[in-house]
Amino acid sequence: MTLTTTPESPLLAEHRALGAHFTDFAGWQMPLKYSSELSEHHAVRTKAGLFDLSHMGEIAVTGTESGALLDYALAGELSKIAVGRAKYSLLCNSDGGVIDDLVVYRLTNEHFLVVANAANASAVYRELTARAENFSATVDNQSSETALIAVQGPSAQDIVQALVSGQQAEAVAELKYYAVTRAVVADVDVLLARTGYTGEDGFELYVPNIQSVQLWRALLDATTERGGVPAGLACRDTLRLEAGMALYGHELNLETNPFEAGLGRVVRLNKDFVGRNALQQLSEQAPQKVLVGLEGGGRRAARAGYTVHDADGGTVGTVTSGALSPTLGHPIALAFVDVAHREPGTALTVDIRGKKEPFVVASPQFYRRS
């Protein structure tokens, strides 16, 4: 008999002690919220939120040809990342469909860290392993031994600086967006990255499971002292939506190519990689649908799967993500629409439970921090 185990965050007991409400996310029990998603959302925009992201996948790629492997495996030129920097990229199949969107950190010349979405971590590991066959490189899935904690918001830098030595406090301040360094935070050795998924300044801290509770507690104390709160995945979703960030399974999937999703900028067709031929052909064709932002004037939110209609009532698209924006105070959504309706200002409607509500095409990035 084969026994299966449900993956658990090493911080699960911490969340229970804080009274978290949980949700199943890719098989993980993760905090959906602690108090309310609205208050947690506003805390991230004004102070800070502390997130447990230990469900994400961490895959190390090492060896003399690690950069060459990632160039072949992914749509971007990862070999050109400078040590200590990161890049957003896509793992595509041979048809150009998106298997996952990823962040890749270069830790040394021959050591990269690939961070995958939780639901796709196993698939990413399998694909990278298969694609590494002809390269002098090793692919190591470190997900089960690695915790990930994020602090996001205007106070994030102050929070991290409060937990490092005086000498490292300056290094934290100087760490650029999409940069990464080794650091000692709350007496714990971590990989500290200035990255995030909220549209705010923030840091993501990679730490061995065994030290994650110590780090979480120190970060939580420093966060709450500055008016911040622990935050769950519910507000993380509305935060990323306001910032116009794609979510796999909504804006990206195997049926979606990078160009129609507005991610053609991360595809480098000047090199050989899995999916290149298909993406080359797609780049030369006018897309039939494109991802746009939608803004509504009422209070009813457009949700994923709702249909989008033109002035004549014809169906011209489908909503992929939507919410009543806590920051802006009106409904926002991302949707794939026929290319003829892509121009900002175009008036459309969304069928919300049988009633067509007015929306206007807008930039997919609804919120930009000052």
Side-chain angles (χ1 to χ4, degrees), residues 152-235:
Q152 301 280 299
S155 299
Q157 179 176 303
D158 290 342
I159 290 165
V160 175
Q161 283 182 310
L163 300 174
V164 301
S165 66
Q167 184 178 4
Q168 282 201 319
E170 184 176 349
V172 170
E174 293 177 350
L175 194 66
K176 297 182 183 299
Y177 185 54
Y178 262 61
V180 62
T181 188
R182 298 285 181 183
V184 179
V185 180
D187 298 321
V188 176
D189 290 322
V190 304
L191 189 64
L192 178 69
R194 198 160 205 159
T195 48
Y197 194 53
T198 64
E200 294 296 338
D201 187 22
F203 298 85
E204 295 182 318
L205 299 90
Y206 297 84
V207 59
N209 285 347
I210 195 170
Q211 295 175 294
S212 61
V213 170
Q214 176 183 339
L215 180 63
W216 170 268
R217 290 176 177 176
L219 285 166
L220 181 61
D221 287 345
T223 298
T224 55
E225 285 172 5
R226 289 158 180 80
V229 298
L233 295 181
C235 81

